[in-house]
Amino acid sequence: MTDRPTPTPRGEENIYFEEARAHRLAFQQCESCGARVFYPRTVCPVCLSDRLSLRQAAGTGTVHSFTTLHRAGHPGLADRVPYTVVLVDLDEGVRVLADLVVSPEADVPWIGMPVQAVFDEVTPELTLPRFQATAGAR
Ligand SMILES: [Zn+2]
């Protein structure tokens, strides 16, 4: 069996995965201009300040867009297809890319669908945020 590919965080990306291990969905906020920033960076993409503070998202948002993959892009994902990837606009105003957890009773995802983050402990070192439809969305 081929191993499932996993992210290899570098530099400032590590903090996102450290937070995910603690089941927290993190983003940054610029202390200079107030911009909310995702993914984690060393400088604000709006004003170039390095005064970025970590914030914790509530984990709720809506689907901005989605796609369902029917062909695995890596042999390690062959047993997962089909699976759906969603772009989620978190309530805090940042956009996050992640897998959608589809339950047997769930409908096909739709743009605007309310979702909430869940945490998949892939390995002891790696936890990945995913999203699932909130209870009222089905
Ligand atoms: Zn800024």
Side-chain angles (χ1 to χ4, degrees):
M1 179 179 165
T2 305
D3 288 341
R4 179 175 161 185
T6 56
T8 51
R10 297 165 296 170
E12 64 274 10
E13 297 168 354
N14 280 306
I15 197 162
Y16 175 74
F17 292 97
E18 289 168 10
E19 291 293 303
R21 270 199 301 276
H23 291 198
R24 294 190 296 261
L25 193 58
F27 65 99
Q28 293 170 308
Q29 185 152 15
C30 178
E31 297 295 334
S32 295
C33 76
R36 292 177 175 181
V37 177
F38 184 84
Y39 53 91
R41 304 167 210 211
T42 53
V43 298
C44 172
V46 176
C47 74
L48 303 183
S49 167
D50 63 356
R51 296 177 54 224
L52 292 168
S53 298
L54 199 65
R55 297 280 191 269
Q56 186 177 338
T60 51
T62 57
V63 171
H64 172 80
S65 189
F66 67 92
T67 189
T68 299
L69 292 93
H70 294 273
R71 295 181 71 176
H74 183 280
L77 298 172
D79 62 345
R80 297 194 61 223
V81 291
Y83 64 95
T84 298
V85 175
V86 286
L87 269 176
V88 171
D89 289 331
L90 295 181
D91 294 343
E92 290 81 5
V94 298
R95 186 167 289 164
V96 177
L97 177 70
D99 288 358
L100 180 71
V101 178
V102 178
S103 60
E105 70 276 10
D107 294 332
V108 173
W110 40 279
I111 291 170
M113 182 173 79
V115 291
Q116 63 189 48
V118 293
F119 295 89
D120 182 6
E121 294 174 357
V122 178
T123 69
E125 296 78 30
L126 178 69
T127 297
L128 292 177
R130 303 190 190 289
F131 287 93
Q132 67 181 18
T134 57
R138 295 178 179 144

